[in-house]
Amino acid sequence: VEVTARVTVTPAAHFVWSNRLDLVHDCLVCLRVGRVVQLRHGMPYGLCTGNEHPAPMRVSAFDAAEHGAERRLRCRITSWWAPFSDSVEAGVQASELSAEPWVRLHYRVGCHTCRDSGVGEWLGMEGALESGAASAVSSCPRCGTALVSAVAGPEIDLVG
Ligand SMILES: [Zn+2]
Ligand SMILES: [Zn+2]
């Protein structure tokens, strides 16, 4: 599975993608469809939040890029998967890409306006960009300066 996202930052923003993401996955370990799996680039396995068991899934590529004011992210997620039926909901078949794909990406953003006016904790804000959130705008909670905007949520594609 490949996840891609882009946001636009203002000159006042210090923007960094987090290496964490949450992805809905049909989990072969607990035999449930639509589980949220927590992943972290660099961790050899994920954590299925159904009953918090290790999931055979990892972030195998994590590429952040800058194009002017745009900050792009492309993640490849590799998992061990085979067909199964949901163990609770009779007749629901799992698929390699969940029937209702959903992902949440995290980021950290700092405010240069606050930095320049001597605020000590100008760097610590966290935000997230998730599927279905058509537009996201985040501004500094202290001074109101616009920092990050997104015209669309992340995209999820099944890749060969
Ligand atoms: Zn599971
Ligand atoms: Zn600020």
Side-chain angles (χ1 to χ4, degrees):
V1 170
E2 193 169 80
V3 172
T4 51
R6 63 182 60 187
V7 297
T8 303
V9 299
T10 69
H14 178 91
F15 181 91
V16 186
W17 292 104
S18 163
N19 65 352
R20 289 188 298 131
L21 61 106
D22 309 311
L23 180 75
V24 164
H25 178 64
D26 294 352
C27 180
L28 181 60
V29 176
C30 60
L31 299 177
R32 296 301 315 276
V33 304
R35 298 285 98 173
V36 174
V37 179
Q38 296 175 342
L39 299 162
R40 189 180 285 263
H41 182 225
M43 280 279 290
Y45 55 86
L47 184 70
C48 175
T49 58
N51 50 7
E52 304 217 323
H53 64 78
M57 191 174 203
R58 67 189 178 89
V59 180
S60 51
F62 187 90
D63 300 310
E66 296 186 14
H67 296 271
E70 232 176 49
R71 299 291 180 272
R72 300 181 189 174
L73 183 66
R74 180 196 299 265
C75 299
R76 181 71 68 103
I77 294 145
T78 305
S79 64
W80 180 60
W81 192 87
F84 66 92
S85 314
D86 191 277
S87 62
V88 175
E89 295 177 62
V92 175
Q93 295 292 316
S95 50
E96 196 167 0
L97 179 61
S98 186
E100 295 180 32
W102 179 91
V103 67
R104 182 195 289 132
L105 301 171
H106 300 267
Y107 59 81
R108 193 174 281 274
V109 66
C111 173
H112 290 160
T113 305
C114 281
R115 180 196 62 188
D116 295 345
S117 54
V119 174
E121 294 172 10
W122 64 274
L123 195 50
M125 288 170 278
E126 289 183 17
L129 184 69
E130 64 185 53
S131 303
S135 67
V137 176
S138 87
S139 20
C140 177
R142 286 192 197 85
C143 70
T145 300
L147 298 173
V148 184
S149 62
V151 291
E155 292 182 13
I156 306 170
D157 296 297
L158 196 58
V159 290

